[in-house]
Amino acid sequence: MHLTHTLELFPDHKVTQMLFKEVKNAAELRQSAVAGKISGALINPTMLLNPFQVLVAANKAVNLEKTGKMKTRSLYSEIIFNLSPTNNISEAFKRFGISDGDDSVLVVLVHNKDESQLLSDITAAVDGRQVPVEDISSLSDQTKIKKLYKITPQEEKCGTLLDAVVCRMAIKDVM
C-alpha cells in the first residue's frame, strides 16, 4: 500500500509515501503536524500528478538540508515548499499542504532505515482508508495544476504534464 524509495544521491535516506482517502480527521492531523507531533509531510494529493513529483521534492529537500540551505524550518516543510513553482512559502502551504476540510492526504516520511513503527504510527493517526500510492493520479485536479504551474497547451504537445511540472519545480530557484 505504501511506496518506499531509496534516494540515489543519498542512499542512507528512504522516502516513504502513504495515500489515504475518506480522511475524517484532517484538521487534527494538520494541527499535529504544525505542533511537530507528526514527523512527516502532509500533502494535498489533488495537486499531485504522480509519486515521482514527491520524490523530486524530497530529494531536493534532503540535499538542501545536507548543505544547510533550506528555506523553511524543517525537512518536511521543505518538501512541501519544493513542490511549489513559486518561492512564496505561505503560498506553497496553502496549495500543497492539507486543509482542515480535506478528505484525502498523502503522508511523506524520510527515514534512514526500515521504520515499520513509524509507518504503523501514521496509519493509526489517520482516520481514513489507506489506498495504493499509485492511485494518486485519480485524485489529481489537472485543471488547477495546469493553472498553478502555468502549463501551455503547446508545452503539453512536446512532453507530458508531469514533465512540465517537474521542470517548473526544478528551476524555480534559478528563475
Side-chain angles (χ1 to χ4, degrees):
M1 288 284 225
H2 63 275
L3 188 63
T4 301
H5 280 90
T6 301
L7 296 177
E8 282 183 40
L9 297 175
F10 306 99
D12 56 328
H13 286 74
K14 293 182 180 189
V15 176
T16 299
Q17 300 178 53
M18 304 168 73
L19 181 62
F20 295 89
K21 283 179 160 179
E22 300 164 15
V23 175
K24 295 172 183 65
N25 64 334
E28 179 187 320
L29 290 171
R30 191 181 66 72
Q31 289 166 353
S32 294
V34 168
K37 295 176 186 167
I38 291 180
S39 57
L42 305 178
I43 299 172
N44 176 354
T46 62
M47 296 305 293
L48 301 172
L49 294 165
N50 187 291
F52 178 70
Q53 206 176 334
V54 176
L55 280 177
V56 170
N59 193 61
K60 187 174 180 181
V62 170
N63 181 46
L64 292 169
E65 181 185 50
K66 294 258 187 218
T67 59
K69 295 182 179 176
M70 291 196 320
K71 292 184 176 82
T72 65
R73 292 186 193 151
S74 77
L75 179 66
Y76 294 115
S77 59
E78 195 73 16
I79 291 171
I80 294 170
F81 175 66
N82 287 330
L83 288 166
S84 176
T86 70
N87 281 310
N88 185 322
I89 295 170
S90 61
E91 182 74 18
F93 276 92
K94 194 180 344 174
R95 300 269 188 220
F96 294 94
I98 64 167
S99 300
D100 290 351
D102 287 351
D103 64 351
S104 59
V105 63
L106 178 75
V107 181
V108 182
L109 309 167
V110 178
H111 48 95
N112 295 336
K113 54 189 181 303
D114 180 33
E115 306 230 1
S116 54
Q117 182 61 45
L118 192 59
L119 300 182
S120 59
D121 289 350
I122 293 293
T123 306
V126 179
D127 182 9
R129 181 172 56 94
Q130 189 175 0
V131 296
V133 175
E134 293 80 8
D135 291 357
I136 205 160
S137 60
S138 68
L139 300 171
S140 301
D141 186 337
Q142 290 194 9
T143 306
K144 273 183 168 176
I145 293 169
K146 288 177 188 178
K147 183 178 180 185
L148 176 66
Y149 287 96
K150 298 179 176 127
I151 310 296
T152 63
Q154 183 178 0
E155 202 170 353
E156 285 188 88
K157 289 178 185 170
C158 63
T160 67
L161 181 55
L162 179 62
D163 292 341
V165 166
V166 170
C167 273
R168 297 291 196 294
M169 290 169 49
I171 65 165
K172 86 172 181 182
D173 293 330
V174 293
M175 295 304 281

